[in-house]
Structures are given as C-alpha cells and as structure tokens.
C-alpha cells in the first residue's frame, strides 16, 4: 500500500463517521422542518419572505413532498455510509477481497441509482408546482459513479472467487 | 474428493517426517499438513516438483484417482 492510500484509509473512517452524524442531523432537521410547517400560519410565504403560493398554488405541497423525499434520501445515504464503513473496516483488517464487499458495493450502486431516481422526482415536482427546468434533473457524474460501482462490485466478486480458489492451493 | 494424496505413505517409505520435508522444500508444515490430510483444493506444479525431488518419487506416487462413490461417504 502506498503512503497516500494509508493516509487516506486512516482519514476515511472518521470522515465517514462524521458524514453519518451530519446526515442524521440533516434528516432530523428537515423532518422537524416538515412537522413545523404544519403549525406555522401563512406557510410557506411567511418563512420565505415572499408570496410563492399566489403565483404557484401547489408550491407549499410541493415543498413538503420534496422534504419527504429528502428524508428518504437521507435514509438511503445512511445505508450507503454504513456499507462504506464496513468496507473500510475490512481494508483496515487487511481482508477486503471478500464476497461480502462485492455485495456491499452492488448494494451501494443500487442505492446511488435510487438517489438519482429521487433527484428526478424532486425535479419533476419542482417542474409541476413551480417552474420547469428550475432544478436540473440530469447530471452525468452520478450515472458514471453508478456504472463504476457496478463494475467494481463485479471486480470484487471475481477477486473474492479467485482468492477463495487460491486459499486451498498448496 | 476423488483425488487422494498419498504423502503420508511416501513419507513413511522414505522414513521422513513432515517437518523434515517442510524444511527441505521450504513450505510451511501447516500447508503440507493441508496437502497430507486431503484438504487442499489445488497443488502448484512447483510444490509437486519440490516434493518429488525431495522424496525421489513421481507425481503418480503421490496422487491417486479413485472414483468417488457417494454411498461410501
């Protein structure tokens, strides 16, 4: 292992743990915001400071649905970070080429795909209740990441099988 | 498994212990023990060559194919 990858590995665990905490705080904050929105008179124009609902009557409902999507997204991100942490732990132990990691990577790939789906949903809601094209739905990078993750999962699965074969070789 | 390893018999014939063989061919006793007990899934040609050299035998003396009968196990 190179010095850079050793340093990256030692930093990765606390960073992922920190991101998990931030993600939970974010999910709780927006869930509280959603609950709070039902008790504020004149929501959402009063907190926003301008009359959004007059021009777009469904904007209030749209914002609430987007917050719900945000909470779902945070839950998905949490499962991704947990799997990432488990993968990092196997690298630290010195045994990363196992079938479990291949399955974890594949699960992460599906979840990143799910997050992209949520982004489309948010864009569709924004287009329906607010303004078309206001929130960009397509970005090339996440799709490339999904592809990369599926390929990596395949590489890990093959690596794990090869290692299992080698284990019984004398 | 249908492939049997007769390392134990060969060692007995040559009056050699597993530890002595391991020291001669530079393979750990643990790995040779895996081979001896038939738990190995594969054997490298280099390992086979080293064992054959040390025991002055042929691969056929070490390995044997026996048709696997499920009723026997």
């Amino acid at each position: 292992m190179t010095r850079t990858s050793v340093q990256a590995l030692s930093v990765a665990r606390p960073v992922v743990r920190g991101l998990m905490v931030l993600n939970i705080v974010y999910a709780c904050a927006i869930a509280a915001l959603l609950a709070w929105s039902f008790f504020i008179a004149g929501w959402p124009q009063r907190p926003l400071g301008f009359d959004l609902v007059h021009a777009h009557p469904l904007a209030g409902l749209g914002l609430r649905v987007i917050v719900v999507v945000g909470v779902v997204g945070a839950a998905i991100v949490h499962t991704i970070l947990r799997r990432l942490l488990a993968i990092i732990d196997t690298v630290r132990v010195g045994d990363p080429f196992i079938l479990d990691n291949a399955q974890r990577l594949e699960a992460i790939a599906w979840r990143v795909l799910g997050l992209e789906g949520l982004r489309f949903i948010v864009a569709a809601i924004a287009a329906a209740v607010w303004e078309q094209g206001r929130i960009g739905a397509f970005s090339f990078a996440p799709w490339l990441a999904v592809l990369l993750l599926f390929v990596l999962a395949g590489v890990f699965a093959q690596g794990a099988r090869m290692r299992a074969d080698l284990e019984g070789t004398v | 498994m249908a492939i049997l390893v007769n390392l134990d018999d060969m060692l007995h014939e040559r009056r050699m212990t597993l530890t002595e063989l391991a020291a001669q061919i530079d393979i750990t006793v643990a790995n040779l023990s895996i081979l001896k007990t038939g738990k190995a899934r594969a054997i490298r040609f280099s390992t086979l060559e080293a064992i054959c050299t040390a025991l002055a035998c042929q691969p056929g003396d070490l390995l044997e194919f026996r048709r696997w009968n499920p009723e026997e196990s």
Side-chain angles (χ1 to χ4, degrees):
Chain A
M1 231 190 286
T2 62
R3 208 172 144 225
T4 317
S5 55
V6 170
Q7 282 170 342
L9 196 62
S10 59
V11 169
R13 204 172 198 284
V15 166
V16 173
R17 278 221 167 270
L19 285 174
M20 281 174 87
V21 173
L22 279 177
N23 187 54
I24 291 168
V25 170
Y26 159 77
C28 291
I30 60 171
L33 188 74
L34 177 68
W36 193 35
S37 74
F38 289 99
F39 301 102
I40 300 172
W43 189 87
Q45 55 268 31
R46 230 183 84 198
L48 287 174
F50 61 93
D51 190 9
L52 182 70
V53 181
H54 187 73
H56 309 284
L58 287 172
L61 177 69
L63 282 173
R64 283 192 178 119
V65 176
I66 286 173
V67 171
V68 171
V69 171
V71 174
V72 173
I76 294 172
V77 168
H78 185 76
T79 62
I80 289 174
L81 291 173
R82 267 183 53 194
R83 281 172 174 81
L84 193 58
L85 201 64
I87 292 173
I88 290 167
D89 284 343
T90 61
V91 179
R92 283 161 68 100
V93 171
D95 193 19
F97 286 105
I98 51 172
L99 274 176
D100 281 351
N101 276 354
Q103 285 161 357
R104 282 181 189 126
L105 274 173
E106 199 182 320
I108 290 174
W110 281 112
R111 278 158 179 76
V112 173
L113 196 66
L115 286 176
E116 272 310 289
L118 289 183
R119 203 222 284 250
F120 272 109
I121 292 172
V122 169
I125 293 166
V129 302
W130 190 14
E131 207 172 305
Q132 203 137 19
R134 191 81 184 197
I135 297 177
F138 188 80
S139 172
F140 186 67
W143 292 100
L144 193 67
V146 169
L147 189 69
L148 196 70
L149 282 165
F150 275 119
V151 170
L152 265 178
V155 169
F156 260 74
Q158 186 68 18
R161 272 193 292 272
M162 283 170 70
R163 211 198 66 164
D165 267 354
L166 268 178
E167 262 181 358
T169 303
V170 177
Chain B
M1 207 181 203
I3 301 291
L4 299 175
V5 182
N6 296 322
L7 184 61
D8 215 15
D9 297 340
M10 285 308 296
L11 283 170
H12 186 72
E13 269 182 37
R14 301 290 188 266
R15 301 277 181 269
M16 197 187 273
T17 65
L18 200 68
T19 314
E20 285 167 350
L21 178 64
Q24 256 191 54
I25 63 175
D26 203 23
I27 288 176
T28 62
V29 178
N31 270 346
L32 274 185
S33 183
I34 289 170
L35 186 65
K36 194 185 86 170
T37 51
K39 286 174 187 162
R41 292 172 66 181
I43 180 165
R44 289 189 184 90
F45 278 136
S46 57
T47 307
L48 195 58
E49 186 187 336
I51 295 172
C52 286
T53 306
L55 298 178
C57 66
Q58 291 296 316
D61 298 328
L62 289 168
L63 304 174
E64 181 191 341
F65 171 72
R66 205 177 287 173
R67 200 169 291 281
W68 184 66
N69 187 358
E71 284 173 16
E72 280 177 19
S73 58

